[in-house]
Amino acid sequence: MAREYPIEKIRDIGIIAHIDAGKTTVTERVLFYTGISHKIGEVHEGEAIMDWMEQERERGITITSAATTCFWTPRGYLSKETNKENEHKINIIDTPGHIDFTVEVQRSLRVLDGAVVVFDGVAGVEPQSETVWHQADKFKVPRICLINKLDRTGANFETSLKSIWERLTPKAIAMQIPIGLEDKHEGVIDLIKMKAYKFAGDYGQDMTEEEIPEELKKQSKDYREKLIEKIAEQDEKLTEAYLNDKEIKEEDLRRVLRKAVIDYKLVPVFCGSALKNKGIQLLLDAVIDYLPSPIDMPPVQGFDPKDETKKIIKESKDDESFSALVFKVATDPFVGQLAYLRLYSGTLASGSYVLNSSTGDKERVGRVLRMHSNKREEIKEIYAGDIVAVVGLKSTTTGDTLTDPDYPVILEKIIFPEPVISIAIEPKTKADQEKMGLALKRLAEEDPTFKIKGDLETGQTIISGMGELHLEVLVDRMLREFKVEANIGQPQVAYKETIKDTAEAEGKYIKQSGGRGQYGHVWLRVESQEQGKGFEFVDAIKGGVIPQEYIPAVEKGIKEAMSKGILAGYPVVDIKTTLYDGSFHDVDSSESAFKIAGSIALQKAFKQANPILLEPIMKLQVITPEQFMGDVIGDLSSKRGKIEEMEDRGEEMNKVKVINAQVPLSGMFGYATQLRSITQGRANFTMEFGHYAEVPKNVAEKIIGEEK
Ligand code: GDP
């Protein structure tokens, strides 16, 4: 076996956009054009291709998988033949658009090397696009932009470009200008080649390269001037040539621009209309020309499973030892569970054994599948830089690292945010109960931020997640995909309990009234721990005052009491408990007696150690026209919100205020509707989990009262 595409001919990219900008349509067109160009090599007859296109259209292109592979030869459309030699492989990684799904968004941004950011050419940069952009910033993703929908009424390339420039980055530069707008949008002008491109045929597949129309010559020249200047600035030789008015070669411009994009110094902006089939082929050229291949990015860095402080670097090479990151686990109707992974280094053959270094388990890789838009292809071996789905992993979840057992590495320490919101669900019938159990288990396997808990007292099932929408989507899937009938409760805040001080208490469970009695006796110290540090149990028993065999039972009793909650029925977190004294009885002591004693001691000590309730505090950003600002802030104050920062944004006509605030989640249910009514639907917001904080005394008393 050998690799079919050299690593520098691979692109691992995402198409990212806020909802409605056209991500789905762009992706569909990309898969369609790449499908045609890949077919040309196989079917030479023009008619056969038309047939194939019709069929493909009817069948509908599917882009539901977490990663889809396609192939593209830059500028291949001009020759009408595929030039196999210059064909590149593009893996498109799906990036969910909503902020509630933080884990999936972050995982997918992590495994891609570059991104295409899609904007609506009427609205330009919208509040939601800023969120998406900043997420990409966080992962330092090199990117190119597409101003889409230029066929829509009200479309404006210049103002859209300006909004990118002003609100997102001054690194943005126009690579193209449109030929006509709205219903006169015909094509685009490429400012590097200085040619006009039009897209004929039912699917825009018949591209033509023409001279720039007379009326656009001046505008093209002005834009090109700016573009060349920006590119030339990035390179000494080009700067010199530019200053001396020398013509710079196309390939030099591309080379220097490519480097600038990869270093995130420039962001090229393209334009067109996905729906009307304008410009997408050129966007694909740009993906190949300017977005990085796996070896253009710094090698992946992880750490030694035995010692977190020891950094390990894995080069993106086939002869490096194998390492991969699982970025999504999905249930597939045909093959069961699919784990999507990115191979960072080495090679992987189907049927081989690997180590899941995150869990320590050995796993056998069954089949390896490459997902295309219309088929899945079974492959025997994959190489560094590739993205595939594998079948057969037993205990691997999103975020896990798979490695060569002899050279283990962990690529990422997984800290999943704690679920902040929960709802109770109750199956309608016995049959639904079983189906529901199965459905929830499946969904939880796919999504590590989705948790299920049974409430023994009420017989209810409680599910928790990262936000209202997150749970809505999951419940909706359960009802529709798994056909479970259930009653759904109101969303509740996932409070937690903890302590601020230290206390000691005795737990005694002694019953000696005829026959064999019960005897468990412990002394326990509880201390508060730093937030997020979790639970710790220390065995400080000396001289065998409690025999070793009963000590695990004490810990078990403590853990049970913690999960039930002590103040108001919410789980106890971040405490350290030390078992330091106690006694036992030769005949009457048992594990169960010590378990109960442990639980009693914890409850007593906890109550004396200044117990408090913790609540999730959300980071909120509201973008509102100025005239509603007072009302928005007033409303947030009534929800115990704290305003952190306010900024002005936009220009004369559409001046807006950006409000950044921290607000307890408890006041934020249904906020979308409330904000709409306060601002006549003109404001927008995004919200994500920030941290847990102490609930003020008066509020806590109310919550505790209600629980009791
Ligand atoms: P997503 O939510 O970002 O995936 O957006 P979609 O691709 O689903 O597009 C949202 C809506 O915009 C759909 O109704 C599309 O048909 C429409 N749309 C997408 N691209 C274009 C375009 O280039 N022009 C016009 N007029 N509409 C478009």
Side-chain angles (χ1 to χ4, degrees), residues 596-611:
I596 297 171
S599 162
I600 294 171
L602 177 78
Q603 296 186 45
K604 274 166 67 181
F606 188 87
K607 285 182 190 151
Q608 296 163 23
N610 196 0

Side-chain angles (χ1 to χ4, degrees), residues 17-25 148-149 151-152 273-276:
H18 65 84
I19 292 157
D20 253 18
K23 185 180 92 172
T24 311
T25 314
N148 186 36
K149 300 200 186 184
D151 63 299
R152 269 185 67 192
S273 159
L275 189 69
K276 298 289 160 64

Side-chain angles (χ1 to χ4, degrees), residues 175-338:
M175 299 292 292
Q176 299 174 333
I177 55 170
I179 305 174
L181 288 171
E182 304 183 342
D183 56 357
K184 299 204 175 55
H185 180 49
E186 274 184 86
V188 303
I189 290 168
D190 176 333
L191 299 169
I192 295 234
K193 283 193 121 183
M194 286 304 264
K195 292 275 186 221
Y197 291 86
K198 294 190 180 163
F199 304 84
D202 290 349
Y203 316 112
Q205 75 277 19
D206 297 326
M207 276 179 71
T208 54
E209 187 184 85
E210 303 169 14
E211 291 310 314
I212 298 175
E214 204 52 48
E215 68 277 13
L216 287 173
K217 278 199 170 138
K218 163 129 188 18
Q219 199 193 4
S220 306
K221 210 168 146 260
D222 294 347
Y223 264 103
R224 178 179 160 94
E225 189 62 21
K226 281 187 225 153
L227 172 65
I228 305 296
E229 185 186 336
K230 284 276 188 188
I231 299 176
E233 271 173 16
Q234 304 291 325
D235 181 274
E236 250 173 64
K237 278 211 180 114
L238 293 204
T239 306
E240 206 186 297
Y242 177 78
L243 293 176
N244 292 324
D245 259 347
K246 278 199 197 130
E247 189 63 26
I248 303 174
K249 276 200 276 196
E250 198 181 307
E251 64 205 60
D252 286 330
L253 289 172
R254 284 219 181 91
R255 176 178 49 80
V256 171
L257 178 55
R258 175 178 178 79
K259 180 148 192 319
V261 173
I262 292 170
D263 297 341
Y264 195 38
K265 294 210 174 108
L266 289 176
V267 177
V269 180
F270 299 82
C271 64
S273 159
L275 189 69
K276 298 289 160 64
N277 309 308
K278 311 259 184 281
I280 303 303
Q281 295 96 322
L282 298 173
L283 182 72
L284 276 160
D285 289 350
V287 165
I288 308 294
D289 287 343
Y290 306 118
L291 290 180
S293 81
I295 41 166
D296 291 319
M297 298 305 279
V300 68
Q301 194 181 37
F303 58 88
D304 188 333
K306 291 203 196 74
D307 176 6
E308 273 187 32
T309 60
K310 214 171 119 197
K311 298 254 183 296
I312 297 178
I313 288 181
K314 296 272 188 179
E315 301 281 342
S316 303
K317 286 181 179 157
D318 297 344
D319 55 9
E320 172 71 274
S321 58
F322 161 71
S323 71
L325 187 75
V326 174
F327 63 93
K328 164 116 188 164
V329 171
T331 315
D332 180 274
F334 303 107
V335 295
Q337 209 174 63
L338 278 178

Side-chain angles (χ1 to χ4, degrees), residues 2 46 73 106 273 284 307 312 425 429 472 536 662 684:
T73 305
Q106 303 208 358
S273 159
L284 276 160
D307 176 6
I312 297 178
I425 47 177
T429 66
E472 250 169 52
E536 200 178 327
Q662 303 225 18
N684 241 299

Side-chain angles (χ1 to χ4, degrees), residues 415-474:
I415 311 167
F416 290 121
E418 285 289 318
V420 292
I421 167 173
S422 45
I423 45 177
I425 47 177
E426 236 170 331
K428 289 202 172 139
T429 66
K430 187 102 185 116
D432 286 318
Q433 173 124 36
E434 276 167 29
K435 274 198 282 184
M436 185 175 93
L438 203 75
L440 292 179
K441 189 167 159 272
R442 284 269 180 81
L443 293 170
E445 278 167 359
E446 287 179 24
D447 179 352
T449 55
F450 172 57
K451 297 262 160 55
I452 316 161
K453 208 175 101 181
D455 186 328
L456 289 178
E457 270 148 44
T458 60
Q460 278 176 329
T461 300
I462 312 283
I463 59 172
S464 7
M466 296 312 300
E468 249 179 315
L469 184 72
H470 185 203
L471 287 185
E472 250 169 52
V473 169
L474 287 161

Side-chain angles (χ1 to χ4, degrees), residues 3-5 7 10-12 67-69 71 89-91 93 111 113 294 316 318 322-325 327 340-348 368-371 379 381-389:
R3 59 155 70 235
E4 214 181 332
Y5 292 83
I7 193 162
I10 296 181
R11 299 290 178 274
D12 294 333
T68 311
T69 302
F71 305 91
K89 176 155 80 183
I90 307 175
N91 295 309
I93 295 131
V111 297
D113 292 325
S316 303
D318 297 344
F322 161 71
S323 71
L325 187 75
F327 63 93
Y340 287 87
L341 55 86
R342 169 167 177 161
L343 196 66
Y344 280 97
S345 61
T347 63
L348 175 71
V368 177
L369 301 174
R370 190 182 303 296
M371 313 296 269
I379 41 185
E381 192 165 36
I382 53 168
Y383 302 86
D386 219 338
I387 291 185
V388 294

